[in-house]
């Protein structure tokens, strides 16, 4: 997502209080805090760790995952059928599902929603996920206003035809970008739909005071019995993480969304009274530094290779109290296709200097490094800055709110380097293809996209498409081997400096209930608000 991506600061979220033996109950309200305001709640636009799970609680798609797992299940789809050649998916919808405005959701809404995401006017960073649907290219190029591959057969049946078999298509139908929205509301609000979201989800947006708070209330008409378990959630924004933590310890806050400040992490982890409350989860995550391949001097391969060799990843891991392991490639170790025998670019200051000299920059150069402004991200950026200075690269740090870093990342003449911390990639779905298309593929190298290196290798795109087309389970081993090649070839071009793969640590209070996995949910990152509860 991930994705939807996640902050190192929230990797250790504290819920203070004594452990009580009590059963989860229905009802209750909780308070969640964040330092930065939420950029949008439009499922076609929102793509950061802060709004990802919020959007998932306001909207539904045809598919989803069993809570706390990566196991696919049907959501708005009552059933589905796949043709023998793997190119036609026919979905039958659940009847009686209502949008928050009271209207019943129909098949025409599914078609409209997918086309709205793909429409270039929407500027969705997730449009590329749907490139396997027939008619995608024509619509993405502005030559068509609809997707020829989507047909409404009746009010409760929609047929989606792919241009080629795609092994990940059901996963794509489970991501936020495939959420179903009502046309009348999306067109009524236009670009402001993200501030006035209407979906079919477990919660509704009751109030949004910009810069202050968002209030979610339980959807009384939600089609899943007993869900959500909470009556409401108040997301308070503008809260400095340390202040939020102090308020949490006083019982004024239930979830400090930006987490325990890193300087406090070891203290809390070693404190016996929190030992039984600590929830640890592995995640499909990579934190990385992007190098804008279209912007001099990063359009020079030797410069990008030199930057890879100049940064001490071990030192950065120490900054975050060892909550991660150094990375040498885009894929995390738990992801199929990870190359265990790949060594990557070794940390070597002298060799980095030699490469810069060969590239014509013996005296180094000046540049900028963009970073999210929540601790520990600026401190990590300072470590990178210090390492680069040793080889003559003078990087000025631009510490901004998350939304501003994301906006600058896709601009061709801005953000020559972006440290992804707080936005580091977590898989939208558990397949290596998700670590390529949106963040390394040509489809993501667009305005509003997540490929901040603007890296576009059409030969690799073709190889990635070949891997995605291997929908037959008997081809899975061959498919994963092909993905391995894709990522190693991308690393040869060095559009990134992979920095680390992190774990997630959540500490929940006695007041909060629900399975541990809901607090480190791999899909509803960071928390599955639909299923958590109070005791």
């Amino acid at each position: 997502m991930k994705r939807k991506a996640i902050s190192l600061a929230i990797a250790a979220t504290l819920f203070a209080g004594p452990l009580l033996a009590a059963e989860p109950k229905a009802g209750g309200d909780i308070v969640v805090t964040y330092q930065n305001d939420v950029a949008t709640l439009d499922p076609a636009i929102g793509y950061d760790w802060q709004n990802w799970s919020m959007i998932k609680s306001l909207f539904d798609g045809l598919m989803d995952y069993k809570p706390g797992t990566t196991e696919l299940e049907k959501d708005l789809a009552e059933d589905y059928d796949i043709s023998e050649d793997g190119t036609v998916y026919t979905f039958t919808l659940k009847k009686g599902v209502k949008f928050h405005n009271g209207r019943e959701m129909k098949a025409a809404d599914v078609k409209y929603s997918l086309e709205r995401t793909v429409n270039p006017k929407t500027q969705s960073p997730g449009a590329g996920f749907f490139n396997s649907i027939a008619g995608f290219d024509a619509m993405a190029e502005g030559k068509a206003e609809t997707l020829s591959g989507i047909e409404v057969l009746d009010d409760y049946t929609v047929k989606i035809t792919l241009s080629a078999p795609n092994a990940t298509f059901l996963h794509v139908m489970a991501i936020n970008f495939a959420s179903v929205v009502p046309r009348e509301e999306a067109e009524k609000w236009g670009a402001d739909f993200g501030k006035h979201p209407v979906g079919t989800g477990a919660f509704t947006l009751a109030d949004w005071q910009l810069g202050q708070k968002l209030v979610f209330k339980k959807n009384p008409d939600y089609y899943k019995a007993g869900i959500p378990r909470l009556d409401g959630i108040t997301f308070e924004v503008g809260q400095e993480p340390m202040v939020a933590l102090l308020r949490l310890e006083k019982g004024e806050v239930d979830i400090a969304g930006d987490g325990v400040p890193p300087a406090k992490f070891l203290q809390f982890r070693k404190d016996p009274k929190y030992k039984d409350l600590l929830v640890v989860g592995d995640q499909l995550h990579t934190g990385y530094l992007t190098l804008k391949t279209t912007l001099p001097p990063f359009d020079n391969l030797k410069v990008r290779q030199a930057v890879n060799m100049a940064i001490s990843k071990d030192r950065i891991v120490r900054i975050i109290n060892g909550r991660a392991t150094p990375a040498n490639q885009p894929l995390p170790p738990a992801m199929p296709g990870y190359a265990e025998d790949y060594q990557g670019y070794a940390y070597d200051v002298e060799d980095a200097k030699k490469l810069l000299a060969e590239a014509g920059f013996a005296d180094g150069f000046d540049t900028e490094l963009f970073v999210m402004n929540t601790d520990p991200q600026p401190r990590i950026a300072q470590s990178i800055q210090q390492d680069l200075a040793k080889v003559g690269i003078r990087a000025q740090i631009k510490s901004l709110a998350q939304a501003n870093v994301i906006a600058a990342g896709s601009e061709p003449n801005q953000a020559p380097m972006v440290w992804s911390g707080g936005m580091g990639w977590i898989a939208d779905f558990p397949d290596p293809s998700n670590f390529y298309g949106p963040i390394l593929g040509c489809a993501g190298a667009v305005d509003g996209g997540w490929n901040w290196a603007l890296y576009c290798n059409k030969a690799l795109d073709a190889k990635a498409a070949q891997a995605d087309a291997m929908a037959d389970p008997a081809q899975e081993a061959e498919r994963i081997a092909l993905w391995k090649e894709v990522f190693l070839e991308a690393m040869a071009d060095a559009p990134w400096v992979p920095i680390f793969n992190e774990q997630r640590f959540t500490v929940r209070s006695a007041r909060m209930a629900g399975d541990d996995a809901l607090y480190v949910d791999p899909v509803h990152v960071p928390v599955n608000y639909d299923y958590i509860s109070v005791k």
Side-chain angles (χ1 to χ4, degrees), residues 177-189:
F177 298 117
S179 298
V180 181
V181 307
R183 181 175 196 146
E184 66 274 19
E185 299 288 347
E187 293 186 348
K188 171 185 175 181
W189 294 106

Side-chain angles (χ1 to χ4, degrees), residues 4-79:
K4 100 20 204 157
I6 194 166
S7 168
L8 274 165
I10 73 164
T13 304
L14 176 74
F15 303 83
L19 182 63
L20 302 175
E23 292 298 319
K25 72 177 183 72
D29 295 86
I30 66 170
V31 174
V32 181
T33 62
Y34 285 106
Q35 179 173 351
N36 294 321
D37 205 350
V38 177
T40 181
L41 291 173
D42 186 337
I45 303 296
Y47 205 18
D48 61 61
W49 64 266
Q50 186 172 327
N51 64 22
W52 191 257
S53 56
M54 293 184 189
I55 290 171
K56 272 197 168 292
S57 288
L58 295 170
F59 296 88
D60 296 305
L62 295 176
M63 304 292 294
D64 199 0
Y65 296 86
K66 290 185 177 179
T69 77
T70 57
E71 183 180 348
L72 272 169
E73 65 176 6
K74 291 169 282 191
D75 193 0
L76 295 179
E78 181 69 34
D79 205 355

Side-chain angles (χ1 to χ4, degrees), residues 437-487:
I439 50 178
L440 284 167
C442 297
V446 295
D447 287 347
W450 210 263
N451 180 351
W452 302 325
L454 297 186
Y455 174 66
C456 178
N457 184 325
K458 293 186 177 180
L460 278 192
D461 264 23
K463 191 173 284 191
Q466 181 185 349
D468 272 343
M470 296 179 178
D472 186 341
Q475 296 179 293
E476 187 63 10
E478 180 184 355
R479 177 175 176 270
I480 295 303
L482 188 57
W483 271 121
K484 182 177 179 180
E485 290 180 20
V486 168
F487 286 103

Side-chain angles (χ1 to χ4, degrees), residues 308-527:
N308 267 271
M309 300 175 74
I311 296 172
S312 173
K313 301 169 186 178
D314 289 331
R315 181 156 70 112
I316 293 173
V317 170
R318 288 196 295 272
I319 289 173
I320 59 169
N321 299 312
R323 288 178 286 157
T325 56
N328 62 15
Q329 58 192 284
L331 290 182
M335 180 70 83
Y338 178 80
E340 294 184 4
D341 55 348
Y342 178 66
Q343 298 300 311
Y345 296 94
Y347 174 54
D348 193 320
V349 173
E350 293 307 314
D351 279 357
K353 289 180 179 178
K354 290 177 183 176
L355 280 172
L356 286 175
E358 292 173 11
F361 296 96
D363 296 326
F365 56 87
D366 296 307
T367 188
E368 293 179 333
L369 169 56
F370 281 60
V371 60
M372 179 181 167
N373 60 6
T374 302
D375 189 59
Q377 312 312 334
R379 290 192 292 121
I380 292 174
Q382 288 168 5
S383 180
I384 293 172
Q385 180 189 49
Q386 291 164 9
D387 284 340
L388 294 177
K390 294 175 185 176
V391 300
I393 299 175
R394 300 169 293 277
Q396 180 183 2
I397 293 176
K398 298 286 188 179
S399 181
L400 306 170
Q402 182 185 71
N404 294 334
V405 176
I406 293 171
S410 65
E411 289 291 333
N413 297 314
Q414 287 193 57
M417 294 192 293
V418 178
W419 161 238
S420 73
M423 307 165 291
W425 197 253
I426 295 179
D428 297 286
F429 51 84
D431 189 271
S433 65
N434 185 229
F435 263 77
Y436 180 79
I439 50 178
L440 284 167
C442 297
V446 295
D447 287 347
W450 210 263
N451 180 351
W452 302 325
L454 297 186
Y455 174 66
C456 178
N457 184 325
K458 293 186 177 180
L460 278 192
D461 264 23
K463 191 173 284 191
Q466 181 185 349
D468 272 343
M470 296 179 178
D472 186 341
Q475 296 179 293
E476 187 63 10
E478 180 184 355
R479 177 175 176 270
I480 295 303
L482 188 57
W483 271 121
K484 182 177 179 180
E485 290 180 20
V486 168
F487 286 103
L488 294 187
E489 288 182 33
M491 279 308 300
D493 286 337
W496 283 10
V497 182
I499 301 292
F500 55 58
N501 309 114
E502 71 171 292
Q503 284 185 305
R504 290 168 60 192
F505 296 84
T506 299
V507 184
R508 60 179 187 174
S509 75
R511 181 171 187 259
M512 303 307 300
D515 293 340
D516 287 358
L518 300 174
Y519 292 89
V520 287
D521 194 294
V523 178
H524 292 248
V525 176
V527 177

